[in-house]
């Protein structure tokens, strides 16, 4: 469902991948015998294991072997196998923010062509999800069973305490822009409430209300929105308006269930965390870590729509069992019964519009009775994927590093910006940076 703890080795391997892994990308599709009812799936989470079990319950003559590879090793192992034209796995996966290199290397089967004709399903899939599955030539290479837009989960009781109103639309206005978030952070802090557990919760709002592209015509530019992000987040940091409970730490999770310890001027005190920036699958953490707060959380919008994660599934171009692989892929991503079962049993938000439409009036008791399927569908439909490039993941990493160095007083703003451009140019020498930042 998510792939959010990849360590830096994956980023390094991605850079290597761009340089050496495109061997064979112009090869024609490999012929198949389709003689086996068994397929092998390589993945980095357990979702497809549960899907396979359901598949085998229904189709007794089918066999699906799901191999779960440690997330940190997945990219390396898959790249190594497919560079050697391995026929295994039959099914492979990737996440939205790093799947493009797999397309460019030619590892994914063309699903637009017969007998797949995946283009026929376009109108039944959330737009951005369909677009992530396209290569640069607009050929379908992968499909997904889920959509992962993000929002802001917030404490209803704290909203009532400060503003006397916990309505999602009202709270959303308090987070409608970066400048508004700064005002809200100060307002909450006056009540001893921290707006977010950590500064990382702000990173998805660095793009501005409308997503700014990182790379346009091979030029890398820090937009006005991103330059403003430096100063606004610096103010939040300096005023200690977040709880400084780092992402995935025990304190970060604990804030979902009540007050957490906070050190201020050498003195420990207990503070409440108002909100978390998380996508659809963040609900799992609240249910597991915030059991005492059921019904007391809500979900609202931030300054801009964003996505985080999402598992995309394709067929190995070199597989000898493409027919069986396609049957399983359709079952997982395009079968209404499967996706209805998945939504109800796992609480996941699927990308298949007929299911989303069917479930749009269902209320989420944990989130105060909100119609969350309707909310997430609306957010997913606002995502603009057209400005996303293969460079974004690494560029954003260096941007957040630069912002962090400025916030912590390790660099001036100007020096941090120069360091950002220098890092980007080092790993992407083909990109252009401003002359005055060389």
């Amino acid at each position: 469902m998510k792939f959010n703890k990849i360590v830096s080795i994956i980023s390094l391997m991605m850079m290597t991948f761009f340089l050496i892994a495109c061997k064979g990308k112009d090869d024609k599709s490999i012929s198949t015998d389709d003689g086996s009812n068994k397929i092998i799936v390589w993945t980095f989470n357990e979702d497809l294991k549960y899907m396979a079990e359901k598949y085998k319950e229904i189709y007794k003559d089918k066999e699906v072997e799901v191999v779960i590879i440690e997330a940190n090793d997945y990219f390396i192992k898959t790249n190594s196998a497919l560079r050697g034209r391995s026929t295994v796995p039959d099914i492979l996966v990737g996440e939205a923010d790093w799947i493009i290199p797999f397309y460019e290397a030619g590892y994914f089967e063309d699903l637009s062509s017969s007998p797949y004709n995946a283009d026929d399903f376009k109108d039944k899939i959330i737009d951005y999800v369909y677009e992530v599955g396209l290569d640069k030539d607009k050929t379908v290479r992968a499909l997904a069973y889920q959509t992962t837009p993000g929002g802001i989960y917030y404490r209803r009781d704290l909203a009532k305490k400060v503003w006397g109103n916990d309505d999602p639309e009202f709270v959303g206005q308090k987070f409608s822009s970066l400048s508004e978030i700064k005002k809200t952070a100060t307002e909450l802090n006056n009540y001893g409430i921290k707006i977010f557990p950590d500064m990382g919760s702000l990173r998805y709002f660095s793009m501005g209300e409308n997503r700014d592209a990182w790379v346009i015509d091979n030029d890398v530019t820090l937009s006005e929105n991103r330059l403003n992000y430096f100063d606004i987040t610096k103010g939040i940091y300096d005023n200690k308006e977040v709880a400084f409970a780092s992402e995935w730490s025990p304190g970060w999770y604990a804030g979902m269930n009540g007050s957490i310890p906070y050190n201020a001027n050498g003195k420990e005190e207990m503070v409440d965390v108002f909100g978390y920036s998380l996508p659809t699958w963040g609900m799992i953490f609240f249910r597991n870590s915030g059991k005492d707060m059921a019904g007391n959380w809500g979900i609202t919008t931030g300054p801009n729509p964003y996505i985080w994660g999402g598992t995309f599934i394709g067929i190995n171009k070199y597989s000898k069992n493409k027919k069986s692989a396609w049957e399983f892929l359709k079952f997982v991503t395009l079968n209404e019964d499967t996706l209805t079962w998945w939504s109800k049993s796992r609480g996941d938000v699927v990308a298949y519009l007929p299911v989303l439409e069917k479930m749009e009036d269902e209320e989420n008791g944990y989130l105060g009775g909100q119609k969350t399927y309707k909310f997430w569908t609306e957010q997913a439909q606002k995502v603009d994927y057209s400005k996303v490039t293969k460079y974004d993941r690494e560029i954003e990493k260096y941007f957040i590093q630069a912002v962090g160095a400025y916030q912590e007083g390790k660099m001036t703003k100007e020096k941090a910006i120069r360091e950002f451009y220098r890092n980007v140019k080092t790993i992407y020498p083909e990109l252009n940076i401003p002359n005055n930042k060389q």
Side-chain angles (χ1 to χ4, degrees):
M1 181 178 294
K2 59 188 183 300
F3 193 33
N4 50 48
K5 297 183 181 179
I6 303 177
V7 294
S8 59
I9 188 172
I10 297 299
S11 298
L12 293 173
M13 288 306 299
M14 285 180 67
M15 298 308 101
T16 305
F17 185 79
F18 277 116
L19 298 175
I20 66 175
C22 293
K23 177 183 177 182
K25 67 180 180 180
D26 295 322
D27 295 340
K28 299 299 181 182
S29 187
I30 306 301
S31 61
T32 65
D33 53 34
D34 288 321
S36 176
N37 282 329
K38 176 181 178 178
I39 61 169
I40 297 175
V41 177
W42 282 7
T43 184
F44 42 69
N45 63 49
E46 294 189 339
D47 286 3
L48 292 183
K49 182 185 77 172
Y50 299 122
M51 293 279 202
E53 290 170 357
K54 189 70 171 179
Y55 184 70
K56 290 184 285 186
E57 282 179 17
I58 298 172
Y59 303 101
K60 307 293 185 183
D61 61 331
K62 303 294 184 181
E63 187 177 354
V64 181
E65 179 184 344
V66 178
V67 179
I68 300 175
I69 300 170
E70 176 64 31
N72 296 340
D73 299 328
Y74 185 84
F75 192 97
I76 300 168
K77 183 172 182 177
T78 305
N79 179 39
S80 177
L82 298 189
R83 284 187 67 220
R85 300 191 180 190
S86 173
T87 59
V88 176
D90 300 292
I91 293 281
L92 64 157
V93 305
E95 278 216 346
D97 63 349
W98 60 262
I99 200 170
I100 295 175
F102 275 170
Y103 298 161
E104 294 190 343
Y107 293 162
F108 278 76
E109 176 78 346
D110 174 357
L111 300 181
S112 289
S113 301
S114 179
Y116 315 107
N117 301 313
D119 293 333
D120 294 346
F121 298 95
K122 178 180 179 180
D123 293 339
K124 293 187 176 183
I125 301 170
I126 289 286
D127 285 347
Y128 94 81
V129 176
Y130 180 79
E131 290 169 13
V132 172
L134 302 178
D135 66 15
K136 61 182 177 60
D137 297 319
K138 305 303 180 184
T139 298
V140 178
R141 299 290 177 178
L143 299 169
Y145 55 90
Q146 62 184 171
T147 181
T148 56
I152 296 175
Y153 294 80
Y154 68 93
R155 287 262 303 264
R156 290 178 176 274
D157 60 330
L158 299 180
K160 287 181 179 178
K161 177 180 178 179
V162 177
W163 303 303
N165 191 338
D166 70 338
D167 180 75
E169 289 192 17
F170 170 82
V171 176
Q173 289 302 309
K174 297 288 184 179
F175 292 84
S176 58
S177 68
L178 268 178
S179 58
E180 196 64 36
I181 286 177
K182 178 63 185 78
K183 294 177 186 176
T184 300
T186 300
E187 196 171 2
L188 291 169
N189 204 44
N190 290 336
Y191 281 81
I193 300 166
K194 304 302 178 182
I195 188 169
F196 292 124
D198 66 336
M199 295 301 295
S201 294
L202 288 156
R203 66 188 182 272
Y204 288 100
F205 309 132
S206 66
M207 62 190 71
E209 284 80 274
N210 296 302
R211 185 184 182 99
D212 299 316
W214 278 112
V215 180
I216 302 175
D217 297 329
N218 259 31
D219 294 333
V220 182
T221 306
L222 281 175
S223 66
E224 194 65 30
N225 284 320
R226 291 192 169 103
L227 290 172
N228 290 337
Y229 182 82
F230 274 89
D231 297 317
I232 290 175
T233 58
K234 172 72 167 169
I236 292 173
Y237 182 94
D238 287 348
N239 292 338
K240 298 179 172 59
E241 292 167 349
V242 298
F244 297 105
S246 58
E247 203 167 64
W248 318 120
S249 70
W252 186 87
Y253 287 107
M256 298 176 179
N257 205 43
S259 301
I260 61 173
Y262 171 80
N263 288 308
N265 301 318
K267 181 181 178 181
E268 185 174 277
E269 59 183 84
M270 300 300 290
V271 298
D272 288 314
V273 174
F274 183 78
Y276 287 74
S277 298
L278 283 167
T280 51
W281 45 260
M283 192 68 247
I284 295 173
F285 301 137
F286 286 95
R287 285 176 176 155
N288 292 341
S289 300
K291 294 179 181 178
D292 296 340
M293 300 286 274
N296 195 34
W297 286 93
I299 185 75
T300 191
T301 55
N304 53 266
Y306 69 93
I307 57 172
W308 185 352
T311 304
F312 289 78
I313 312 165
I315 297 172
N316 177 4
K317 177 179 178 179
Y318 306 113
S319 167
K320 292 185 177 180
N321 300 302
K322 293 179 184 175
K323 180 179 179 181
S324 295
W326 174 238
E327 289 172 354
F328 179 69
L329 182 53
K330 282 195 300 181
F331 177 84
V332 168
T333 62
L334 299 171
N335 184 295
E336 186 168 338
D337 290 339
T338 303
L339 294 169
T340 300
W341 159 77
W342 184 252
S343 294
K344 291 182 177 295
S345 64
R346 302 284 292 181
D348 207 359
V349 182
V350 300
Y352 198 62
L353 285 168
V355 174
L356 292 174
E357 291 165 359
K358 184 167 56 176
M359 301 182 69
E360 68 176 6
D361 289 327
E362 293 202 11
E363 298 179 350
N364 187 321
Y366 191 93
L367 296 179
Q370 276 188 258
K371 296 179 180 179
T372 50
Y373 282 101
K374 183 178 181 180
F375 173 84
W376 290 125
T377 302
E378 290 171 350
Q379 294 309 298
Q381 290 173 328
K382 293 176 183 177
V383 172
D384 179 6
Y385 195 74
S386 65
K387 297 176 182 178
V388 177
T389 73
K390 65 185 180 183
Y391 304 111
D392 287 12
R393 180 186 179 89
E394 292 303 300
I395 291 178
E396 287 172 359
K397 181 185 76 174
Y398 287 121
F399 174 72
I400 295 302
Q401 285 180 4
V403 172
Y406 174 57
Q407 288 170 357
E408 296 168 17
K410 296 176 181 178
M411 294 183 184
T412 63
K413 181 180 177 181
E414 181 62 26
K415 185 175 180 181
I417 290 172
R418 285 183 180 279
E419 185 72 8
F420 161 75
Y421 279 119
R422 188 178 299 115
N423 284 332
V424 171
K425 187 65 175 177
T426 297
I427 62 170
Y428 297 124
E430 71 273 22
L431 297 181
N432 305 314
I433 64 173
N435 289 330
N436 64 342
K437 304 299 180 184
Q438 297 284 352

